[in-house]
Amino acid sequence: MTVLLALLLGAKSATPVTFVGIDYSRALFVGSGDFTDTAQVTGYYPGEWNRLWASEMMEDTAKAAGPMTQSIEIVAASNAKVSDLQIRRTDGGDDIVAATEITAETLGELVASYDMKGAEGLALVLVVDRYVKLQEQGCTWVVYFDAGSRKIEAKQRVCEKASGFGFRNYWFRTAKDLVDDIKKLKPR
């Protein structure tokens, strides 16, 4: 998409953004009756949700944040670290949604670990914090950072309602609903 086209579509600015993917390496999957197929949750779905974003959400993301390229392979190394230890077979109260174990330091370490292959400009990553079945909520950090310096420019934790048919679409809804936050949070 050209800069002019992005401006005509109502993008926030013409600053190019590289979407590096959805990072599940620090996610918690919380629910006593969900997340039962450990291999699917930890091995298959992180890649599947990234491919789904690349095929279905890039146009909407570009409308929200301006000219956009995607390099979802950047989060592949992080997502390869997802393990069954991240699945919590418990239910719980609203405090499970409100809590987070991801700090500014954690986000900085993740961003620093990405192989950006000499990329410049602004980059965007979605860092999943937790999916909580009982409250039907998914919480994700929307993080903009400078691709060269890896300095985090803006970050915000957002919780969205899960919905949809089937496991894949049910949890992917929480990512799809982040587009407005991606637009509002863009720093430049």
Side-chain angles (χ1 to χ4, degrees), residues 117-160:
K117 297 180 181 87
E120 294 181 4
L122 200 57
L124 169 66
V125 64
L126 303 177
V127 179
V128 175
D129 184 336
R130 60 194 59 220
Y131 290 163
V132 183
K133 180 62 176 180
L134 185 64
Q135 283 78 18
E136 300 177 333
Q137 293 282 309
C139 299
T140 303
W141 286 90
V142 176
V143 181
Y144 280 100
F145 63 97
D146 183 279
S149 71
R150 308 300 173 83
K151 178 181 180 255
I152 293 178
E153 301 281 335
K155 65 186 181 313
Q156 181 177 356
R157 183 176 185 260
V158 181
C159 296
E160 295 288 350

Side-chain angles (χ1 to χ4, degrees), residues 6-29:
L7 291 172
L8 291 174
L9 291 172
K12 188 168 182 181
S13 77
T15 303
V17 177
T18 301
F19 178 71
V20 302
I22 308 170
D23 189 325
Y24 291 89
S25 65
R26 303 298 170 99
L28 293 179
F29 304 94

Side-chain angles (χ1 to χ4, degrees), residues 23-46:
D23 189 325
Y24 291 89
S25 65
R26 303 298 170 99
L28 293 179
F29 304 94
V30 182
S32 61
D34 216 13
F35 314 114
T36 55
D37 189 337
T38 303
Q40 291 283 320
V41 171
T42 62
Y44 174 74
Y45 280 110

